[in-house]
């Protein structure tokens, strides 16, 4: 079994609304070996390796369902088995996932298989190990070369994978904060391999690094790290602290101990997690050893009085105590039979214990401090302690050194609570931990004594969220509520725009409207990533990586995401949901590529943003494939766009109080009107929108209608929508490659990036609406990766609209032979009535453009369908630079616009019906699809 290809989807995609990994698998000869033919030995060993597979429901939706699939009838195929093994391995590693799906691609022995993941690298590693397990369990004669053999150690491979997954996982503190954010509907982005996380998007984002936030004061962190300064500040506030001296040498430490009074504690001036700390020192010899250990962590060492009592961690968030835990140093309890070393091994078998902070408890270790404590008792590793005897291996109770925690939040005395809050405020921390020693936390420190021995910036949460004993506390929630108070913004509004044609222009129109509305907009498009109108990254930025770049920018407060087919197919969307989404149209483009063979499949792909929009979706009612998407949306509002004021479904939708953007004919031309909640709002005459060229560019009329519908659904005022549309034009600098018109020559030149049949047809129709005194010339091309029928369709749409045709190819031929595309275009033109003398083949784009400009005389119109837009535009504007701009090409009144055919002619299949509900009217499926 081979993995032919892999796609990692980071957000909503064709298969799920959450991250999944997709493989194309080739089973080869294993296509003839379903699980029942492989036999019980294969199945039993698989279940022995991963007993959790018994809980997988599969298509039966109940525990044991997958095992039934393995054993019943002809069994199931190994691609399906690999899906479940990859899921279960992640569960074993502590990354809970459940979703998977495997289906045939239509090619013999080939399947696409998808499975859910939480961490991309862990998901990939689970997939690799799943393949190894399956190959290992196969009969020897079926194993591929280099597959794990009978000597392969599954347990070792599994444990290595688990450790890798745990290293990749967020720590307990960061993980709890992420869970709290998710519970409040706050998006988050992991910014590195460690604990740097962004909550929220754009201007409203907040960052954390573990439990240090973007609001945590640098001064406060430095103070908390300086134990001497902390001690002085707290003493000046009248809070209980031990006597303390700072020393630089062993001899100074001994003298300081005498002044402070034995017993004493030695600790580095700046360290954490109990590193280098020695307590209850009573002799000069012990101080010498402890000083050297402390010096390993800082050149300055503190000597302070030893306070008797139990160690407590008091956690304060935003000035309020939210949890308290009694910490017990790492220890073992004797049973009268086993040595201390054996008892440590037994304690470390607790699945809650791991290395460092990877789990809620930390493994016990033998080190200098453990050896010193044992020696002081006359013990060593091989001593067998008496039954129930407690043997401490640490004097400090940090969880990071093997300690345990008992929650005491409900019983802490109010004075001790107030003391902790004052201490953290005194240092200036937004989140801080107070290490407090007292004999009884339920009694006031004023009566029983005790002292604050340390203040911790960035305190760990795991002792509170998963105490060894007592009630787990939600300490992450108050942190998120501090960063995002209930009335504060957490997300920026996101608009996702998809469709075959018009995405870039509509996205730019909407971004322009939002800017006039006062927003700082992040725009992703085929031209690049724009922040507040400034190009930040050039190139095609319509995928999830560019979306994440925009959402991370701290200056934006709105995002407009052009969402193209390629990014959706390759990696899904770069965000989990959007506020508004629009699908402009679905027509033939990129068909026959990457599994998308039909218009219906293309529509299903472009439906993804519609499915995850929360506030409103804007759909083309004149396109049946767009119209059908309404049934898949859970958005609060459903808005239709139609250029047919007699559209029957839209008319009924409006009468039901629904929202629509309609092109209406009036005495002065055509008016874009908004219908909403039984209100009729005339918005703008189309000839007043510069991008429509006085109403000639019908496709831009429609784009403007979509931009208006999206802006209106985002709460933009009508005045700002009108102002935005009236000030947006299609100059090269505002919309490069989108109907850029140059009038400074004696002839008119239009440059456009149209590269599919529908776009070329729109441009040809536009040319027909111009009154041209001379001839019409076109530079015609098609991308090399389109189907032959698409290339031919482009030429067919152009045939008859021009007096002269120059056929060229793109610089990047995308698998085509040199000259193949121009020849195909010419053949189609000839077959559709264009004379041979009207056609020229000039393969090079630069030469073809230059030839078209040379052929043009005063009063002519030249349409250049360009690929390298910047290069072509420079050719156009610098052509004949010594000549004077002409005025022969005068704009004429717009031709009468003809509405598209009435959609009464649309045939509704037997599987569809008209649905009327609180959102209006839509076409819906009459029978639910198979959910398996």
């Amino acid at each position: 079994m081979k993995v032919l290809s892999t796609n990692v989807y980071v957000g909503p995609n064709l298969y799920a609304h959450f991250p999944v990994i997709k493989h194309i698998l080739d089973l080869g000869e294993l296509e003839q070996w379903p699980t029942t033919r492989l036999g019980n030995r294969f199945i039993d060993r698989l279940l022995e390796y991963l007993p959790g597979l018994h809980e997988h429901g599969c298509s039966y939706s109940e525990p044991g369902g997958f095992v039934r699939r393995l054993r019943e009838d002809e069994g199931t195929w190994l691609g399906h088995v690999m899906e479940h093994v990859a899921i279960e391995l992640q569960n074993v590693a502590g990354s809970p996932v459940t979703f998977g799906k495997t289906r045939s691609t239509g090619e013999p022995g080939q399947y696409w298989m998808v499975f859910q993941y939480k961490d991309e690298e862990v998901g990939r590693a689970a997939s690799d190990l799943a393949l190894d397990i399956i190959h290992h369990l196969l009969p020897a004669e079926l194993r591929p070369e280099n597959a794990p053999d009978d000597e392969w150690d599954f347990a070792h491979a599994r444990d290595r994978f688990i450790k890798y997954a745990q290293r990749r996982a967020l720590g307990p503190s960061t993980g709890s904060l992420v869970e709290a954010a998710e519970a409040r509907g706050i998006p988050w982005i992991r910014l590195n391999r460690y604990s740097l996380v962004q909550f929220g998007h754009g201007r409203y984002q907040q960052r954390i690094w573990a439990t240090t936030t973007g609001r945590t004061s640098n001064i406060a962190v430095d103070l908390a790290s300086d134990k001497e300064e902390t001690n002085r500040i707290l003493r000046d506030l009248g809070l209980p602290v031990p006597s303390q001296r700072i020393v630089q040498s062993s001899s100074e430490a001994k003298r300081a101990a005498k002044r402070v009074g034995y017993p004493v504690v030695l600790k580095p001036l700046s360290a954490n997690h109990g590193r280098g700390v020695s307590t209850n020192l009573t002799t000069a010899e012990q101080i010498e050893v402890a000083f050297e250990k402390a010096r390993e962590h800082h050149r300055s060492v503190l000597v302070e009085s030893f306070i008797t009592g139990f160690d407590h961690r008091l956690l304060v968030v935003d000035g309020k105590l939210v949890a308290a835990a009694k910490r017990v140093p790492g220890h073992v309890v004797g049973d009268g039979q086993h040595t201390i070393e054996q008892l440590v091994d037994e304690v470390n078998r607790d699945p809650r214990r791991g290395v460092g902070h990877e789990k809620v408890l930390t493994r016990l270790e033998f080190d200098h401090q453990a050896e010193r404590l044992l020696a002081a008792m006359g013990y060593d590793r091989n001593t067998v302690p008496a039954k129930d005897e407690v043997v401490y291996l640490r004097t400090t109770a940090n969880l990071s050194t093997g300690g345990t925690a008992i929650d005491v939040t409900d019983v802490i005395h109010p004075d001790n609570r107030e003391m902790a809050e004052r201490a953290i405020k005194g240092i200036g921390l937004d989140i801080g931990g107070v290490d407090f020693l007292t004999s009884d936390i339920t009694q006031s420190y004023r009566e029983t004594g005790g002292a604050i021995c340390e203040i911790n910036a960035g305190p760990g949460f795991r002792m509170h969220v998963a105490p060894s004993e007592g009630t787990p506390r939600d300490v992450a929630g108050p942190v998120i509520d501090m960063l995002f108070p209930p009335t504060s913004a957490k997300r920026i509004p996101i608009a996702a725009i998809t469709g075959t044609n018009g995405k870039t222009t509509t996205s730019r129109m909407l971004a322009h409207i939002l800017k006039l509305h006062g927003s700082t907009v992040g725009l992703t498009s085929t031209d690049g990533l724009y922040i507040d109108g400034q190009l930040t990254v050039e190139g095609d930025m319509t995928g999830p990586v560019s979306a994440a770049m925009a959402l991370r920018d701290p200056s934006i407060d709105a995002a407009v995401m052009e969402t193209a087919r390629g990014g959706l197919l390759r990696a899904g969307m770069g965000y989990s949901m959007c506020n508004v989404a629009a699908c402009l149209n679905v027509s033939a483009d990129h068909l026959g590529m990457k599994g998308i063979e039909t218009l219906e499949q293309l529509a299903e792909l472009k439906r993804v943003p519609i499915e995850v929009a929360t506030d409103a979706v804007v759909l083309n009612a004149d396109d049946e494939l767009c119209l059908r998407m309404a049934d898949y949306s859970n958005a609060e509002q459903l808005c239709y766009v139609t250029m047919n004021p007699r559209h029957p479904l839209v008319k009924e939708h409006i009468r039901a109080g629904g929202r629509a953007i309609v092109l209406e004919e009036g005495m002065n031309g055509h008016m874009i009107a908004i219908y909403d909640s039984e209100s009729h709002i005339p918005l703008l005459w189309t000839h007043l929108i510069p991008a429509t060229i006085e109403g000639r560019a019908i496709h831009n009329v429609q784009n403007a209608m979509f931009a208006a519908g999206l802006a209106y659904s985002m709460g933009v005022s009508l005045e700002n929508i009108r102002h935005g549309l009236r000030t947006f034009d299609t100059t090269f600098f505002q919309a490069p490659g989108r109907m850029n018109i140059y009038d400074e020559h004696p002839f008119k030149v239009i440059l456009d990036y149209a590269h599919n049949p529908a776009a070329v047809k729109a441009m040809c129709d536009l040319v027909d609406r111009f009154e041209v005194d001379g001839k019409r010339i076109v530079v015609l091309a098609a991308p090399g990766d389109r189907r032959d029928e698409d290339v031919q369709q482009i030429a067919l749409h152009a045939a008859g609209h021009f007096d002269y045709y120059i056929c060229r190819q793109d610089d990047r031929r995308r698998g085509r032979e040199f000259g193949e595309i121009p020849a195909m275009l010419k053949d189609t033109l000839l077959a559709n009535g264009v004379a041979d003398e009207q056609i020229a083949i000039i393969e090079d784009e630069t030469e073809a453009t230059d030839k078209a400009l040379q052929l043009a005389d005063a009063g002519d119109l030249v349409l250049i369908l360009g690929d390298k837009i910047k290069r072509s535009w420079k050719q156009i504007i610098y052509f004949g630079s010594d000549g004077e701009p002409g005025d022969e090409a005068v704009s004429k009144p717009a031709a009468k616009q003809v509405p598209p055919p009435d959609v009464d002619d649309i045939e509704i299949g037997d599987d569809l019906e008209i649905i009327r509900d609180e959102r209006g009217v839509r076409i819906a499926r009459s029978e639910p699809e198979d959910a398996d």
Side-chain angles (χ1 to χ4, degrees):
M1 185 162 59
K2 296 178 181 179
V3 177
L4 300 181
S5 66
T6 299
N7 289 89
V8 179
Y9 295 95
V10 300
N13 55 81
L14 193 55
Y15 308 99
H17 289 171
F18 42 78
V20 296
I21 291 174
K22 173 190 172 185
H23 292 315
I24 298 295
L25 302 175
D26 187 351
L27 269 58
E29 65 175 321
L30 294 176
E31 173 71 1
Q32 309 305 319
W33 289 85
T35 51
T36 49
R37 186 179 179 191
L38 288 170
N40 287 331
R41 185 174 186 274
F42 174 88
I43 297 171
D44 292 343
R45 291 182 69 197
L46 177 65
L47 297 175
E48 178 186 340
Y49 280 2
L50 295 169
L53 291 173
H54 285 283
E55 301 302 315
H56 289 213
C58 199
S59 56
Y60 290 100
S61 301
E62 61 183 16
F66 176 61
V67 176
R68 289 173 62 184
R69 291 289 302 274
L70 289 173
R71 298 189 187 278
E72 286 184 353
D73 301 325
E74 61 183 1
T76 191
W77 275 258
L78 292 183
H80 184 210
V81 175
M82 182 177 171
E83 166 206 324
H84 281 269
V85 172
I87 290 171
E88 182 57 24
L89 284 169
Q90 292 180 84
N91 290 332
V92 168
S95 183
V97 294
T98 58
F99 174 81
K101 184 179 287 188
T102 303
R103 298 289 186 271
S104 172
T105 65
E107 295 293 326
Q110 290 190 11
Y111 297 81
W112 58 258
M113 181 268 281
V114 298
F115 63 93
Q116 186 181 4
Y117 72 88
K118 296 288 188 182
D119 180 278
E120 175 184 339
E121 296 305 319
V122 173
R124 286 179 178 271
S127 172
D128 292 341
L129 182 53
L131 193 60
D132 282 345
I133 291 170
I134 291 171
H135 284 163
H136 166 67
L137 294 177
L138 291 173
E141 63 273 15
L142 293 177
R143 287 180 195 151
E145 188 177 354
N146 300 323
D149 58 19
D150 291 333
E151 302 302 317
W152 184 63
D153 187 344
F154 162 72
H156 175 73
R158 176 201 59 203
D159 292 348
R160 185 174 58 189
F161 165 72
I162 291 172
K163 290 177 181 177
Y164 174 72
Q166 290 173 345
R167 288 195 303 270
R168 290 280 310 175
L170 295 170
S173 300
T174 310
S176 67
L177 288 165
V178 166
E179 289 177 6
E182 288 180 336
R184 289 159 174 77
I186 299 172
W188 63 279
I189 304 172
R190 189 174 184 176
L191 300 178
N192 66 6
R193 290 178 53 199
Y194 306 103
S195 299
L196 182 61
V197 175
Q198 172 185 318
F199 294 123
H201 289 153
R203 179 177 295 177
Y204 308 120
Q205 66 180 264
Q206 299 287 342
R207 291 181 180 176
I208 63 162
W209 193 308
T211 61
T212 300
T213 78
R215 298 181 179 182
T216 303
S217 162
N218 256 348
I219 294 176
V221 172
D222 287 345
L223 284 177
S225 299
D226 188 331
K227 294 177 173 58
E228 181 188 31
E229 198 62 46
T230 296
N231 184 281
R232 182 180 298 117
I233 289 174
L234 297 182
R235 178 180 285 109
D236 290 346
L237 290 173
L239 295 172
V241 291
S243 299
Q244 194 178 77
R245 298 287 188 278
I246 185 169
V247 298
Q248 308 290 335
S249 67
S250 178
S251 58
E252 288 182 27
K254 295 174 188 176
R255 290 194 298 271
K258 289 182 180 179
R259 295 192 191 98
V260 170
Y262 286 104
V264 296
V265 175
L266 260 67
K267 62 176 73 171
L269 180 63
S270 178
N272 53 25
H273 302 305
R275 298 185 183 98
V277 178
S278 300
T279 65
N280 199 17
L281 306 175
T282 58
T283 67
E285 291 76 17
Q286 290 177 340
I287 288 177
E288 286 183 5
V289 175
F291 180 84
E292 294 304 321
K293 290 297 178 184
R295 279 292 293 268
E296 293 176 2
H297 302 279
H298 199 278
R299 63 186 182 86
S300 297
V301 175
L302 286 175
V303 179
E304 68 180 27
S305 55
F306 176 70
I307 307 297
T308 58
F310 297 107
D311 186 1
H312 297 82
R313 166 62 62 82
L314 312 180
L315 181 64
V316 177
V317 175
D318 198 23
K320 299 293 182 182
L321 186 135
V322 296
K326 177 180 176 181
R327 300 189 297 179
V328 181
H331 63 279
V332 295
V333 179
D335 61 2
Q337 299 179 12
H338 296 90
T339 67
I340 292 174
E341 187 168 27
Q342 290 171 332
L343 292 171
V344 167
D345 290 340
E346 182 62 30
V347 168
N348 286 339
R349 290 191 186 99
D350 185 338
R352 295 177 300 168
R353 290 189 182 268
V355 177
H357 290 265
E358 68 179 7
K359 294 189 177 182
V360 296
L361 294 175
T362 301
R363 293 169 58 88
L364 294 174
E365 302 289 345
F366 283 105
D367 61 3
H368 155 73
Q369 190 174 138
E371 301 286 4
R372 181 177 68 82
L373 288 174
L374 292 177
M377 299 172 63
Y379 288 177
D380 61 22
R381 299 183 185 207
N382 297 316
T383 301
V384 177
K387 190 174 188 309
D388 298 328
E389 180 184 0
V390 178
V391 179
Y392 288 101
L393 301 176
R394 286 289 184 281
T395 54
T396 58
N398 300 75
L399 265 67
S400 57
T401 57
T404 55
I406 303 169
D407 179 73
V408 294
T409 306
D410 292 334
V411 297
I412 185 173
H413 192 279
D415 288 349
N416 299 337
R417 177 187 295 269
E418 181 208 24
M419 171 208 64
E421 294 170 352
R422 286 186 61 212
I424 295 302
K425 290 178 183 177
I427 298 301
L429 290 168
D430 57 344
I431 303 171
V434 178
D435 289 348
F436 181 58
L437 294 172
T438 181
S439 58
D440 189 350
I441 196 69
T442 66
Q443 300 298 313
S444 170
Y445 72 93
R446 295 188 177 94
E447 298 176 1
T448 60
I452 298 171
C453 59
E454 195 168 325
I455 298 293
N456 296 271
F461 285 179
R462 61 177 177 160
M463 72 184 73
H464 306 297
V465 299
S468 310
E469 299 178 33
T471 304
R473 301 292 170 175
D474 174 21
V475 296
V479 175
I480 300 300
D481 292 339
M482 173 186 70
L483 297 175
F484 297 95
T487 58
S488 69
K490 304 171 179 65
R491 295 174 175 269
I492 63 172
I494 299 173
I497 300 171
T498 190
T500 302
N501 293 305
K503 299 185 298 294
T504 301
T505 299
T506 304
S507 298
R508 285 179 171 276
M509 281 182 173
L510 178 59
H512 182 68
I513 293 170
L514 291 173
K515 183 176 177 64
L516 295 182
H517 183 61
S519 298
T520 300
V521 183
L523 166 67
T524 65
S525 73
T526 52
D527 305 320
L529 169 63
Y530 294 81
I531 302 297
D532 198 25
Q534 300 299 312
L535 179 62
T536 301
V537 183
E538 189 172 5
D540 188 345
M541 302 296 287
T542 57
V545 173
S546 54
M549 292 171 65
L551 296 175
R552 291 181 186 183
D553 192 288
S555 62
I556 71 169
D557 51 23
V560 178
M561 307 294 193
E562 180 182 342
T563 307
R565 171 207 61 89
L568 286 172
L569 269 180
R570 183 176 61 254
M573 295 174 64
Y575 40 95
S576 60
M577 63 181 69
C578 55
N579 297 84
V580 297
C583 186
L584 312 186
N585 43 64
V586 180
S587 61
D589 194 16
H590 299 278
L591 295 182
M593 300 169 61
K594 298 184 178 180
I596 303 298
E597 305 293 336
T598 66
L599 281 175
E600 287 72 23
Q601 290 175 328
L602 184 60
E604 184 181 359
L605 177 68
K606 291 183 179 293
R607 196 179 68 210
V608 173
I610 304 301
E611 294 174 356
V612 298
T614 58
D615 298 345
V617 295
V618 185
L619 298 174
N620 186 348
D622 300 332
D623 185 317
E624 184 182 355
L625 291 173
C626 294
L627 199 60
R628 292 187 178 199
M629 295 181 186
D631 192 41
Y632 295 85
S633 170
N634 292 315
E636 294 178 8
Q637 286 284 348
L638 177 60
C639 177
Y640 291 124
V641 170
T642 181
M643 303 182 75
N644 175 14
R646 297 182 297 278
H647 195 298
L649 186 141
V650 175
K651 186 179 292 186
E652 186 173 351
H653 178 70
I654 291 170
R655 288 172 176 169
R659 182 178 298 172
I661 313 296
V662 181
L663 185 66
E664 299 180 332
E665 189 168 2
M667 295 294 293
N668 196 34
H670 286 82
M671 169 69 71
I672 296 175
I674 299 175
Y675 287 87
D676 187 32
S677 300
E678 300 183 356
S679 296
H680 175 231
I681 308 167
L683 183 68
L684 194 63
W685 296 106
T686 60
H687 64 266
L688 297 179
I689 302 172
T692 70
I693 315 178
E694 298 182 335
R696 293 185 183 90
I698 299 298
H699 62 286
N700 266 358
V701 171
Q702 188 178 68
N703 292 337
M705 295 170 70
F706 271 100
L710 288 163
Y712 183 80
S713 297
M714 296 175 78
V716 179
S717 69
L718 294 172
E719 189 55 39
N720 282 330
I721 296 174
R722 293 186 182 107
H723 187 42
L725 292 177
R726 293 189 67 160
T727 55
F728 180 88
D729 58 33
T730 59
T731 62
F732 178 81
F733 301 100
Q734 195 158 25
R738 270 67 189 178
M739 207 173 63
N740 307 141
I741 298 178
Y742 192 74
D743 274 327
E744 299 302 315
H745 295 315
F747 48 86
K748 184 185 296 291
V749 183
I750 303 175
L751 173 65
D752 197 89
Y753 183 63
H755 57 279
N756 60 57
V760 171
K761 182 179 185 302
M763 293 309 301
C764 294
D765 291 344
L766 171 65
V767 168
D768 287 347
R769 294 188 184 96
F770 281 98
E771 292 186 11
V772 180
D773 295 334
K775 57 185 177 293
R776 293 176 170 87
I777 302 167
V778 64
V779 176
L780 193 63
D785 57 359
R786 301 310 195 263
R787 301 175 304 172
D788 287 357
E789 53 262 46
D790 295 327
V791 176
Q792 293 162 354
Q793 193 72 26
I794 285 174
L796 177 63
H797 286 316
H801 292 272
F802 300 91
D803 301 296
Y804 199 75
Y805 301 79
I806 300 175
C807 302
R808 66 159 186 86
Q809 64 188 13
D810 290 346
D811 294 355
R812 182 183 169 203
R813 300 199 303 274
R814 305 189 187 200
R816 295 282 187 171
E817 295 296 327
F818 183 85
E820 183 180 354
I821 290 293
M824 191 181 301
L825 292 169
K826 180 177 180 179
D827 290 343
T828 305
L829 291 171
L830 291 170
N832 285 275
V834 179
D836 184 68
E837 59 270 19
Q838 292 180 268
I839 307 170
I841 290 181
I842 302 177
E843 289 87 355
D844 180 76
E845 180 177 13
T846 303
E847 295 177 7
T849 300
D850 192 58
K851 181 64 175 177
L853 297 173
Q854 291 177 11
L855 287 172
D857 297 315
D860 289 354
L861 185 151
V862 179
L863 173 62
I864 297 175
L865 302 180
D867 181 46
K868 300 296 183 183
I869 297 300
K870 278 189 176 181
R871 184 178 68 191
S872 297
W873 184 249
K874 286 182 179 179
Q875 274 189 272
I876 293 167
I877 64 175
Y878 292 126
F879 176 78
S881 56
D882 293 335
E884 292 296 322
D887 59 358
E888 289 83 358
V890 180
S891 296
K892 300 296 192 296
K896 179 178 177 63
Q897 297 176 6
V898 180
D902 197 297
V903 293
D904 279 329
D905 297 331
I906 294 177
E907 295 184 4
I908 303 300
D910 294 337
D911 61 331
L912 301 174
E913 60 181 336
I914 299 294
I915 294 295
R916 299 169 176 84
D917 56 22
E918 67 278 0
R919 295 191 301 166
V921 185
R922 67 184 189 277
I923 295 177
R925 297 158 292 172
S926 56
E927 295 293 336
E929 292 184 344
D930 184 3
D932 183 24

